[in-house]
Amino acid sequence: MTPADSGWSRPDWRTRESLLLAPWAMHAVDSAGRHHPEPPHQFRSPYQRDRDRIVHSAAFRRLAHKTQVFTGYHGDYHRSRLTHTLEVTSIARTLARALALNEDLVEALALAHDIGHPPLGHAGEDTLAELLRDEGGFSHNAQALRIMELLESRYPGFPGLNLSREVLDAQATRKKDGSAPPPLLEAQVVDAADSIAYDTHDADDAIELGLVTLEELCGLPLVAEAAARVGERHGSLAGVEARRAILHELVDRQVAELIRESRATIDELGVDSVARVRDVFRGSAGTPGRRIVAHAPTIAAGKRQLERFLFERVYRSDRVLAVRVPAQRQLTELFDWYVARPDRMPAGYRQRAEAFGVRRSVADYLAGMTDRYLEFDHARRLAPGS
Ligand code: MG
C-alpha cells in the first residue's frame, strides 16, 4: 500500500512546526522574511532553504581545507574547519530536538557559524585584522555576514544568499557589537554546541599529536568525572579506547546537563514565547540579562578550567605557534601584492574594490582562500623569478 492509497498525506512544514515546536521556539511562519522577497518553496520551509543555500555555497565547501587549530602540516587525524562545523551541527541538532526548537534554523546557523574564517585559523584572522586596522578591522564573524549578504553570488537578482532575517541576526549577534537583537534560543544552542565541540575535539586532537596526555587531562575535574563514569560502565580501559570513551562521555555529559539546566530555566522563568526569550536576555531593572541555554555553575567552571588548560598547552604550544609566523608572512606578502595589482583579482572582487576600497576587497579575496590555495597562490605570485 502506498501512502496515497492509505489516505496519508504529507503534512507541510507549517503543520510540522506547529505540532513539533515549543512556544519558545522560532516558528518560520513568524519569520521577518528575506531582504529580497521570494515566493515560498513548494516543499521546503524557509529555514530549510537557508540551510541548503549555506551547504551549496563556495564558502562552506572551502571549510574542508581551512585550519581549525592544526594545519595540514600537523597530520591528517585532526579536525578541519568543516569537520568541526559538522560536529557542532550534530550536537546542536540534539540540543534543538530535546528542547523542541526549530531544527532547520539551528542547522542553518550551525553550518554557517564559521564560514567567515580566513585561511590558517586565528593566525590568518589576526593578520587580516592588523592589515585592515585603519579600515574597520577584520573578524571572522563580521566576514560571515559579508559572505551571506554580499560575497556569495549564486542567484540571479541579488548578491549574497538572501537568507532569512533570523539567520542574519544570529550571525550579527556573534559580532558582539550590540547591533543585533538578543539571540533566539536557536542561536544560543549553536553557541553552546560550538563550545562543547571544540573543548572536546581540541583535547582529542592534542592527545593524538602528543601535545598533552590523557592522564594530564584527567587531572581536570570535568574530565576526571567523565573518566570515573566510563570506569563504572566499562571497567578499566587503556590507550585509544580509554581516550575515545572518556571524550565521548565528556560530550554526552555536557549535552545532557545543558538540556536539563536549560529546561529548568525555561520552567523557572515561565518562558512561553520568543519575546520572553529576548526579554530574559536583555534583563530588566534589578534583574541581570541572561542566556537561557547555559550550563550549571559547576559544569561552567569545569569548562573554564579545561579551556585554560587547552589555551596554555595547545593553542599557545610551540607547534601551533610555529605555523603562525609563515602564515602571517604569506598572507601579508600576498595582500600587498594584490593591493598593488587589484586588476589581478577575479572580476567580482575588482568591481567591489570600487565600492568598498581596494584593501577591503583584497581582504575579502584572501579570506575566501583555503589554506592550500593561499600557499599555491603565494608561490605563484611571489616565488623568486615569477
Ligand atoms: Mg566554531
Side-chain angles (χ1 to χ4, degrees):
M1 200 164 68
T2 65
D5 297 333
S6 71
W8 184 88
S9 71
R10 177 180 58 84
D12 79 352
W13 59 265
R14 293 168 193 81
T15 313
R16 284 175 59 87
E17 290 198 357
S18 69
L19 289 171
L20 296 174
L21 304 192
W24 51 79
M26 182 68 211
H27 293 240
V29 284
D30 299 325
S31 172
R34 305 175 191 279
H35 183 69
H36 303 277
E38 296 180 56
H41 192 273
Q42 187 183 358
F43 304 117
R44 295 178 297 163
S45 75
Y47 300 140
Q48 206 180 344
R49 288 176 94 180
D50 292 330
R51 176 253 181 230
D52 294 350
R53 286 177 184 200
I54 291 154
V55 168
H56 289 269
S57 69
F60 181 78
R61 280 197 301 284
R62 291 188 183 126
L63 295 175
H65 300 287
K66 289 191 174 193
T67 293
Q68 172 68 21
V69 173
F70 306 103
T71 71
Y73 294 109
H74 293 111
D76 63 2
Y77 174 86
H78 59 263
R79 276 70 175 177
S80 68
R81 194 58 73 176
L82 179 65
T83 62
H84 158 71
T85 295
L86 296 176
E87 290 186 29
V88 171
T89 306
S90 146
I91 293 169
R93 279 180 60 96
T94 301
L95 295 169
R97 189 166 297 186
L99 294 169
L101 297 172
N102 195 317
E103 287 179 50
D104 291 337
L105 177 56
V106 162
E107 199 174 0
L109 300 181
L111 291 170
H113 87 280
D114 269 354
I115 59 168
H117 271 283
L120 305 170
H122 289 287
E125 181 169 29
D126 294 346
T127 306
L128 289 175
E130 178 62 25
L131 291 166
L132 291 178
R133 200 181 38 197
D134 299 329
E135 285 97 5
F138 180 93
S139 82
H140 72 271
N141 284 321
Q143 192 66 13
L145 266 184
R146 279 180 77 71
I147 289 167
M148 292 173 180
E149 295 185 289
L150 179 71
L151 298 178
E152 282 287 332
S153 63
R154 297 188 49 79
Y155 306 97
F158 51 78
L161 299 173
N162 200 32
L163 302 173
S164 300
R165 186 74 253 160
E166 293 71 32
V167 178
L168 299 176
D169 282 348
Q171 190 54 42
T173 305
R174 297 178 76 88
K175 293 198 296 179
K176 297 192 172 76
D177 62 359
S179 64
L184 299 166
L185 291 188
E186 282 78 2
Q188 296 186 28
V189 151
V190 172
D191 288 342
D194 192 16
S195 153
I196 293 171
Y198 62 63
D199 280 353
T200 316
H201 67 48
D202 289 350
D204 184 46
D205 290 349
I207 297 173
E208 176 73 19
L209 288 166
L211 292 170
V212 301
T213 64
L214 181 60
E215 290 66 35
E216 286 177 305
L217 272 164
C218 286
L220 300 164
L222 195 63
V223 185
E225 194 201 346
R229 284 172 172 243
V230 168
E232 280 165 26
R233 205 172 319 136
H234 299 289
S236 80
L237 300 176
V240 170
E241 213 175 27
R243 168 177 133 202
R244 301 229 162 104
I246 291 169
L247 292 174
H248 171 253
E249 176 64 29
L250 193 61
V251 172
D252 221 38
R253 166 103 166 96
Q254 290 179 75
V255 167
E257 178 280 328
L258 186 62
I259 291 166
R260 202 168 31 246
E261 186 71 14
S262 306
R263 240 350 276 253
T265 306
I266 286 169
D267 292 343
E268 176 202 328
L269 301 178
V271 177
D272 56 0
S273 66
V274 166
R276 179 85 180 112
V277 168
R278 293 193 152 136
D279 287 344
V280 169
F281 188 87
R282 278 191 204 98
S284 57
T287 315
R290 62 188 276 194
R291 283 178 177 257
I292 291 166
V293 179
H295 289 285
T298 46
I299 302 275
K303 280 174 69 66
R304 279 195 298 275
Q305 287 171 318
L306 173 57
E307 286 168 6
R308 263 199 305 275
F309 177 83
L310 291 173
F311 184 82
E312 296 294 335
R313 295 291 307 278
V314 180
Y315 310 141
R316 295 279 139 201
S317 68
D318 290 346
R319 278 170 69 190
V320 168
L321 292 180
V323 180
R324 282 184 80 89
V325 175
Q328 288 169 339
R329 184 179 55 78
Q330 275 186 354
L331 259 176
T332 305
E333 289 177 357
L334 206 52
F335 182 87
D336 292 340
W337 194 91
Y338 279 112
V339 165
R341 302 167 190 79
D343 56 309
R344 304 293 288 273
M345 290 193 294
Y349 294 94
R350 286 203 305 271
Q351 284 151 15
R352 279 189 298 270
E354 289 166 27
F356 299 102
V358 169
R359 294 174 72 83
R360 174 63 61 188
S361 205
V362 170
D364 286 339
Y365 182 44
L366 298 188
M369 291 181 179
T370 59
D371 296 2
R372 62 186 189 179
Y373 190 82
L374 173 71
E375 189 169 336
F376 163 77
D377 203 43
H378 180 269
R380 177 171 67 157
R381 303 299 192 195
L382 287 137
S386 66

